[in-house]
Amino acid sequence: MYFQPEIETMDREKLRDLQLTRMQESAKNAFDNIEFYRKSFGEAGVTPDDLKSFDDLTKFPFVTKQDMRDAYPFAMFARPMVDVARIHASSGTTGQATVVGHTANDLKHWGECFARGIYMVNGGPQSTLQVSYGYGLFTGGLGAHAGGEAVGCAVIPTSSGNTKRQVQMMRDCKTDILACTPSYALLIADTAIEMGYKPWEEFPISGGIFGAEPASDNMREEIASKLGIQYCDVYGLSEIMGPGVAMECAERHGLHIAEDHFYCEIIDPETLKPVPDGEWGELVITTLTRECCPLIRYRTRDVTRIISEPCACGRTHRKIDKLRGRTDDMLIIRGVNVFPSQIEQVITTFPEVATHYLITLTNKGPLDHVLLQVETEPGFPIDEIRKLEDLKARLGAELKSNLQVSVEIQLVEPKTLERSMGKAKRVIDLREGTHA
Ligand code: DLL
């Protein structure tokens, strides 16, 4: 079942035509109404009239997060405030916040994009959707909420926090679909188990729409089996819209991009040239229908690849692969490139430890030092030195062979590391100097 069958299964030729027309309109909207684009297009020697084919898009300059920051607060708005229905902003913890405006139409499209994912987990107007993403300037809560309303679900806006109450609502109100970050989903599942429930068989929940941060395959499995659900990965970012830019169908092989609203390219982050479908690189998105904040070639910094093979679910929109991480999350440890998600992938193959870990990077003399703290599973005899040392040695060897990096491992008792109700913080980088 599809939410918008005529769009989601549209003939590809027709879809491409629609994309090109909308791309031309979007470039014009940006150029006519935003000074930044008049300047950047001018410097690149192009105008929207030069956009006659998809190939022409590569002549257009990129937009970066820094450009959005420099435009704070409203310089990237193509509409006057009277047309703006809502404003979201990034937290600004890593610099100046970025502000994004939405018209009523932008919000409607957003709800429809997320709604497609609700159908991907077999939801519909009969479903009860519990939204445990944070509500507020973060786009998770209100984005998922809009999706639920577009479908006609009964939406429970629990927001994040008060985890025992989340479990109680989930049980008593017979939640069918849970929407939150993967790390929070795991905390909710573990809390339910601690409260004495077996959510996988006692709760009616059957789907979960989880995103906003990467999760390894094993972590996804763990969440899916503890809750007894189909796991749908949802991708999005506040600059572009919020959750719903791409969502994972039941085939579980990539996330369908809402291609009627977004055009995706993958570039090599070094050469900035597009790479062929199937190759990994940085995702660059052009919005096709955004009225308030059109973005032409926005560099997301997210690492993925395009999957263009037809999907058995019948949707014709191309997919992106599960996100590997961000180019700016990539850790350079003693010259070796490591994504935190690779470390997670290794950890989760060890049944003796839980998916709760923290990576701390420091300098020891001229060398980078990596401390990995991991919680053991409740049944593990953490006070038996021999077993502890053996586990540490095996985990260390596996990390070394997978990542080519030596890691100091500290096994800690269950529930010692801080839990996250939103995006989990997995890395603390205390190194001095520049480590991009
Ligand atoms: O995280 C929007 C969102 C909310 C997406 C709820 C999904 C669910 P930002 O706070 O602007 O927006 O952060 C965007 O989060 O560039 C990715 O690096 C990361 N991210 C988002 N979804 C995924 C995902 C929201 N499914 C940034 N897998 C993005 C991995 C993700 N990383």
Side-chain angles (χ1 to χ4, degrees):
M1 276 269 281
Y2 312 110
F3 175 63
Q4 291 172 307
E6 69 294 350
I7 298 171
E8 291 174 76
T9 63
M10 189 183 264
D11 170 70
R12 276 216 65 81
E13 281 300 306
K14 257 174 84 179
L15 183 59
R16 297 273 290 175
D17 290 347
L18 179 73
Q19 283 191 301
L20 188 58
T21 312
R22 288 186 170 177
M23 191 188 283
Q24 289 158 341
E25 287 164 5
S26 190
K28 197 161 160 15
N29 179 27
F31 186 78
D32 290 350
N33 298 304
I34 303 173
E35 177 59 32
F36 167 84
Y37 285 100
R38 278 197 291 281
K39 192 158 168 283
S40 71
F41 286 10
E43 281 164 10
V46 287
T47 72
D49 293 335
D50 294 313
L51 192 54
K52 298 202 170 59
S53 71
F54 292 108
D55 285 345
D56 291 334
L57 187 61
T58 57
K59 298 176 196 152
F60 287 72
F62 295 107
V63 180
T64 62
K65 177 117 177 165
Q66 190 56 46
D67 295 327
M68 303 278 293
R69 289 188 178 129
D70 294 345
Y72 181 86
F74 301 138
M76 282 291 205
F77 282 27
R79 289 288 182 276
M81 216 33 99
V82 66
D83 292 339
V84 178
R86 195 186 310 148
I87 289 172
H88 279 276
S90 71
S91 62
T93 43
T94 53
Q96 172 74 61
T98 55
V99 166
V100 179
H102 305 260
T103 65
N105 269 334
D106 293 335
L107 293 178
K108 178 171 173 285
H109 292 152
W110 184 2
E112 289 168 356
C113 287
F114 194 94
R116 295 176 192 176
I118 295 178
Y119 275 72
M120 289 176 192
V121 291
N122 281 318
Q126 74 288 351
S127 308
T128 298
L129 171 74
Q130 182 166 335
V131 181
S132 310
Y133 287 115
Y135 280 63
L137 289 176
F138 174 59
T139 51
L142 285 161
H145 191 105
E149 288 194 335
V151 170
C153 299
V155 184
I156 314 182
T158 43
S159 193
S160 56
N162 203 340
T163 310
K164 282 193 174 150
R165 197 177 63 181
Q166 301 271 359
V167 173
Q168 219 58 57
M169 290 296 286
M170 195 187 241
R171 176 179 171 270
D172 298 344
C173 298
K174 304 196 174 12
T175 296
D176 298 298
I177 302 169
L178 174 67
C180 60
T181 60
S183 47
Y184 197 37
L186 189 56
L187 179 58
I188 292 176
D190 285 339
T191 305
I193 294 166
E194 270 172 40
M195 288 165 76
Y197 299 118
K198 293 182 182 140
W200 60 93
E201 61 182 39
E202 289 172 10
F203 290 9
I205 184 165
S206 59
I209 305 181
F210 305 129
E213 63 182 0
S216 62
D217 287 338
N218 293 322
M219 179 161 171
R220 289 161 51 112
E221 280 307 316
E222 185 178 351
I223 295 167
S225 67
K226 283 183 170 165
L227 290 175
I229 52 160
Q230 177 193 329
Y231 187 115
C232 164
D233 188 355
V234 51
Y235 170 74
L237 59 170
S238 37
E239 288 78 11
I240 291 290
M241 180 175 84
V245 172
M247 303 187 76
E248 185 187 25
C249 69
E251 297 302 317
R252 305 186 65 226
H253 181 52
L255 292 72
H256 289 280
I257 305 156
E259 285 199 292
D260 50 327
H261 295 292
F262 307 103
Y263 181 80
C264 290
E265 302 168 79
I266 304 289
I267 61 163
D268 176 330
E270 301 287 316
T271 66
L272 305 184
K273 297 267 180 274
V275 302
D277 285 357
E279 277 183 29
W280 291 86
E282 179 182 334
L283 178 66
V284 170
I285 304 180
T286 295
T287 65
L288 305 179
T289 55
R290 291 286 299 287
E291 293 178 335
C292 186
C293 291
L295 281 171
I296 310 299
R297 305 196 86 201
Y298 182 69
R299 287 188 61 181
T300 65
R301 302 273 174 190
D302 289 319
V303 178
T304 183
R305 66 187 183 116
I306 301 263
I307 300 173
S308 53
E309 291 79 31
C311 184
C313 76
R315 290 177 181 83
T316 50
H317 295 218
R318 294 186 308 168
K319 295 184 283 192
I320 48 172
D321 211 327
K322 201 161 75 70
L323 282 290
R324 246 186 207 175
R326 299 174 54 80
T327 52
D328 38 11
D329 275 354
M330 191 179 72
L331 305 169
I332 305 179
I333 302 172
R334 300 187 185 183
V336 180
N337 297 349
V338 178
F339 282 111
S341 59
Q342 290 174 284
I343 296 182
E344 179 175 308
Q345 188 67 36
V346 173
I347 293 173
T348 53
T349 58
F350 283 75
E352 301 92 333
V353 296
T355 318
H356 297 295
Y357 63 95
L358 184 66
I359 302 160
T360 307
L361 300 168
T362 46
N363 299 114
K364 271 206 174 154
L367 290 179
D368 296 329
H369 178 258
V370 188
L371 172 67
L372 172 67
Q373 291 169 292
V374 200
E375 285 183 12
T376 52
E377 279 290 354
F380 184 81
I382 195 161
D383 38 9
E384 285 186 32
I385 299 296
R386 201 177 49 77
K387 287 198 173 138
L388 192 71
E389 290 305 322
D390 169 65
L391 177 57
K392 268 167 68 169
R394 282 186 291 119
L395 190 52
E398 194 61 24
L399 284 166
K400 174 93 192 167
S401 96
N402 276 268
L403 312 171
Q404 279 77 52
V405 169
S406 299
V407 174
E408 179 192 341
I409 293 165
Q410 197 179 57
L411 295 169
V412 297
E413 305 240 4
K415 291 209 212 164
T416 359
L417 299 174
E418 202 185 327
R419 295 291 187 267
S420 152
M421 300 188 193
K423 300 191 193 224
K425 180 142 186 63
R426 305 287 197 195
V427 180
I428 301 177
D429 195 343
L430 301 173
R431 294 175 296 179
E432 284 163 17
T434 48
H435 287 274

